[in-house]
Amino acid sequence: MYDFCVVGGGIVGLATALELLKRRPGASLVLIEKEARLARHQTGHNSGVIHAGIYYPPGSFKAQLCRRGAVATKAFCDENGIPYLTCGKLLVATSGPEVERMNALYDRSRENGVEVELLDAAELRRREPNVAGLAAIHVPSTGIVDYKAVCAVMADKIRAAGGEILLGTTVDRIVEHGNFVTVGAGDRSWDGSRLVVCGGLQSDRLARMAGLAADFQIVPFRGEYFRLPAARNDIVKSLIYPIPDPALPFLGVHLTRMIDGSVTVGPNAVLGFAREGYPKLSFDSGDVGRLFAFPGFWRLIAKQWRTGIQEMRSSLSKRRYLELCQKYCPSLTLSDLMPMEAGIRAQAVTRSGALMHDFHFMQTDRMVHVCNAPSPAATSAMPIGAIIADKCLGG
């Protein structure tokens, strides 16, 4: 019998396991991951940004956890010799309506307690000669890191504290008993006094497997990226984002410096037809069948079909994708957009067709399921882990 069982080897699962072992030194813990390596899915495919927390509604989980998470992530990197860079971010307005939205976002940033600075066109051009815009918000505290490296250190610490990590082990049953939970994978099983499930792209299925009445479904959205050639790695000094449209669910294509010195462009947000199918045109008949049988999917399509068409255009046409980038970085050319593996965002959607924008948990006496952990989950992983530990331990 283990004190704790954790399912899911992404950054949220690892941060939770580490937090539980910190609070209960000497406790027994097993973390179970179906892939052959940790951070295989969302954690290992994100853009590596340490977000500052400017987008989110004041008072929301996202706003609170992002600010705390950014501080905790940088402190963890400092303590463990993990490279990161606080390079800052610019949100660039390229039209009159975007300037209006930028000003509203600036006000929200200040409500959230995030240090921001407004730049006019001349100052923007002085700081970023290759970026064009009417104005911009500068967020100096935004940083970049390799979250896979963060996860590797977390895993080492979990093992050093006595925890076990099992890779290549696919959970196929979860049964809650009176005072423990059984987790099974084929002919193997583990009993734990408490279970935490951080299932990401499979979170809805794992919740239902455990007998929970999950009234949502994960809808996968492919985020397609390009990488710039090495000769263009100095095209920007900071991260360059468009001003987001609050009517749309995603942030838009941006230029991101990576900790290895490269620069990526993306992502867009295209409906995926396989939850874990990263190559273009991936298709899983089981995933698609369940998706089409879910009424919330069709209600989402009815609300967002115009956005869906626009995103599909950028997926099918490299030139259209380039136009999105050229709005704020006009010197980019088609030959600059080099192939890069896509990511897949696990977006929880309700039966009414609403996107879940904040963190969502389901809980029983013995289990905590993380059902929705949207961006900035990587930035916020450590404070999320603390909240999950509170729930798990009855705090």
Side-chain angles (χ1 to χ4, degrees), residues 86-101:
T86 305
C87 58
K89 172 166 69 175
L90 289 170
L91 292 96
V92 179
T94 59
S95 67
E98 287 187 358
V99 170
E100 292 182 13
R101 295 204 302 268

Side-chain angles (χ1 to χ4, degrees), residues 217-341:
Q217 183 157 309
I218 295 298
V219 175
F221 284 91
R222 286 173 52 80
E224 297 169 335
Y225 294 85
F226 291 96
R227 187 183 298 274
L228 300 187
R232 305 225 67 183
N233 283 351
D234 61 354
I235 193 169
V236 291
K237 302 179 181 69
S238 55
L239 312 183
I240 310 297
Y241 279 61
I243 300 295
D245 184 342
L248 303 180
F250 304 114
L251 294 179
V253 171
H254 41 271
L255 281 169
T256 307
R257 292 180 60 187
M258 306 295 281
I259 199 66
D260 64 2
S262 63
V263 177
T264 66
V265 180
N268 57 5
V270 184
L271 180 66
F273 294 105
R275 290 202 188 188
E276 299 176 5
Y278 295 98
K280 204 156 190 170
L281 305 180
S282 293
F283 184 90
D284 183 292
S285 59
D287 287 347
V288 171
R290 293 182 185 94
L291 183 64
F292 284 5
F294 179 58
F297 168 71
W298 298 106
R299 291 167 181 148
L300 172 66
I301 293 297
K303 297 173 185 177
Q304 298 286 354
W305 65 270
R306 291 183 178 85
T307 302
I309 290 174
Q310 292 174 10
E311 294 294 325
M312 188 61 71
R313 285 179 60 200
S314 73
S315 177
L316 296 174
S317 169
K318 191 175 177 181
R319 185 169 296 280
R320 167 61 180 163
Y321 200 112
L322 176 66
E323 289 171 0
L324 298 176
C325 309
Q326 287 178 326
K327 282 180 59 180
Y328 53 80
C329 193
S331 67
L332 288 175
T333 66
L334 279 175
S335 62
D336 288 329
L337 303 185
M338 300 173 62
M340 183 177 174
E341 188 175 48

Side-chain angles (χ1 to χ4, degrees), residues 219 221 248-250 300 303-304 345 347-350 352-358 372:
V219 175
F221 284 91
L248 303 180
F250 304 114
L300 172 66
K303 297 173 185 177
Q304 298 286 354
R345 171 174 172 163
Q347 176 61 61
V349 177
T350 68
S352 68
L355 300 171
M356 286 188 183
H357 291 296
D358 219 337
N372 195 49

